Amino acid sequence: MTDTTPAYTGPQRVFSGIQPTGSLHLGNYLGALKKFADLQAEGHDCVFCVVDLHAITMPVERGALIDQTRQIAAAFMAAGVDPAKSVIFAQSSVLAHVELAWIFNCVARMGWVERMTQFKDKAGKDAERASVGLFTYPVLQAADILAYKATHVPVGEDQKQHLELSRDIAERFNREYGVPGFFPLPEPMIKGPGARIMSLKDGTKKMSKSDPSDLSRISLVDDADAISKKIRKATTDTGVIPATAEELKGRPEVENLVGIFAALSGRSVESVLAEFEGKGFGVFKPALAEVTVAHLAPITARYRDILADPAGIDRVLADGAGRANAIAAPIMDEVRRVVGFWRP
Ligand code: TYM
């Protein structure tokens, strides 16, 4: 059946968010941060959010949240997001997120949210003890995006299911309230070899902030020695670098390292394979370490400089809060009218 619902025709906007929980790693950089900077460079209207409301769905060390929020804002800038061009702000400073999340809690269906695999992963075996916020986390994520009527969302592969839920919520809101094309159906931007960076120790698990082994991830604050050591110790097999991407299948650790090389050097997997075909890891790993250090060193240096001036970060966040509010406020006015709330 062809969909005859009128589509959203408003302006295009990029939105994405990162949680202020733990230090960022290469997966966050390649899956998200690097794309943020690239999209800004292409001239898109971009809004980037430190999602502190999401962070409190899991236990946070008391008193740590403010600094973690500043750290993520600093990482946005270190990766190349320019606060003069893009909006950088903390989610809790724009109340539209919370208000729209409530409305969307009443649009989303229990069955939709119950299907979310990230809740199952994070809640673990004892889901009864998880916060209610952790359960409705993806609904708040939909509100983040749609409070700005964002059309494009750069994220890593692990966010695909949450983005599908955002589209379902937007579609149902438009239909239930009889406002076709009111909310855009946000497009996930996931493509490319950086979208799913795996653990350096186990190619079947994603690189993650919560992995107990520090050797499993390259952190954005690692120095050149730490990076080289982690790559040297990365799990591989006894084979050599193959000639084709097809032959990487079934060799997840090797596929991951080749993917990291490609993503960091802005090359295709095929071109990396063509260069290293038939070579062993004694050759490939040092080359990968060199590419990684060369790419990350300036970012790490900028990150440290920015962090040394917390008042400067606070100015960026305050300015961003004002600009984000200015975008969301008229959209929320329309939402209240559409839902039928009393207004003065
Ligand atoms: P978070 O904070 O867990 O991760 C931030 C971003 O990093 C990406 N990422 C990865 N990409 C590739 N390989 C990996 N191993 C890897 N690990 C993490 C994530 O996909 C994400 O893009 N729910 C989101 C935050 C969020 C959000 C939003 C994102 C809240 N509201 C609205 C987009 C739009 C999250 O937990 O990200």
Side-chain angles (χ1 to χ4, degrees), residues 41-340:
E42 287 166 21
H44 296 280
D45 170 1
C46 298
V47 179
F48 298 120
C49 182
V50 186
V51 291
D52 51 357
L53 297 171
H54 278 110
I56 63 167
T57 58
M58 296 283 277
V60 181
E61 191 193 326
R62 196 176 303 150
L65 194 56
I66 289 191
D67 274 337
Q68 287 175 190
T69 297
R70 291 190 183 111
Q71 283 164 20
I72 301 298
F76 286 162
M77 291 185 266
V81 177
D82 175 355
K85 295 186 180 141
S86 302
V87 177
I88 297 178
F89 75 107
Q91 189 186 26
S92 61
S93 58
V94 179
L95 289 176
H97 294 252
V98 180
E99 184 181 356
L100 191 57
W102 178 258
I103 294 169
F104 285 171
N105 272 332
C106 305
V107 173
R109 305 290 92 188
M110 284 295 286
W112 300 358
V113 183
E114 272 167 359
R115 276 199 294 277
M116 297 293 115
T117 54
Q118 187 167 300
F119 174 77
K120 291 177 199 154
D121 293 346
K122 285 198 176 175
K125 288 199 179 66
D126 206 358
E128 292 286 307
R129 300 185 74 84
S131 71
V132 177
L134 187 66
F135 182 71
T136 63
Y137 176 118
V139 179
L140 175 60
Q141 181 160 345
D144 297 340
I145 300 164
L146 294 167
Y148 303 90
K149 293 197 174 178
T151 51
H152 293 84
V153 186
V155 281
E157 169 96 27
D158 60 348
Q159 296 301 311
K160 194 167 176 218
Q161 199 186 31
H162 287 171
L163 263 293
E164 277 159 14
L165 183 81
S166 297
R167 292 170 64 88
D168 288 345
I169 290 175
E171 195 272 327
R172 187 180 172 111
F173 181 98
N174 292 350
R175 187 160 38 80
E176 292 274 294
Y177 286 104
V179 281
F182 179 82
F183 280 125
L185 308 191
E187 288 283 340
M189 305 180 87
I190 297 183
K191 285 202 182 60
R196 192 168 167 76
I197 302 298
M198 310 310 282
S199 156
L200 298 181
K201 286 282 145 201
D202 177 351
T204 63
K205 287 202 312 206
K206 70 170 185 176
M207 187 177 283
S208 135
K209 293 172 190 167
S210 57
D211 193 311
S213 165
D214 192 47
L215 287 176
S216 71
R217 66 186 155 259
I218 291 172
S219 156
L220 288 191
V221 290
D222 282 343
D223 61 18
D225 284 349
I227 292 174
S228 302
K229 177 176 144 206
K230 287 176 179 180
I231 291 178
R232 202 167 56 243
K233 288 184 175 259
T235 307
T236 44
D237 52 30
T238 49
V240 293
I241 301 287
T244 64
E246 199 44 44
E247 294 165 88
L248 287 170
K249 298 282 165 259
R251 297 177 72 191
E253 283 87 8
V254 183
E255 184 173 24
N256 187 40
L257 295 183
V258 171
I260 292 174
F261 195 115
L264 282 173
S265 55
R267 289 164 57 182
S268 67
V269 165
E270 286 71 20
S271 110
V272 176
L273 293 177
E275 182 181 341
F276 289 98
E277 174 190 352
K279 303 235 165 63
F281 294 100
V283 173
F284 182 72
K285 281 182 168 179
L288 175 60
E290 197 179 310
V291 166
T292 311
V293 170
H295 195 97
L296 292 188
I299 297 173
T300 308
R302 266 202 305 277
Y303 180 62
R304 289 186 202 285
D305 284 351
I306 297 167
L307 272 187
D309 177 20
I313 301 173
D314 288 349
R315 278 195 296 278
V316 167
L317 288 172
D319 174 64
R323 288 157 65 196
N325 257 308
I327 303 170
I331 294 173
M332 287 310 296
D333 271 348
E334 285 181 279
V335 169
R336 290 182 205 112
R337 181 182 53 76
V338 166
V339 175

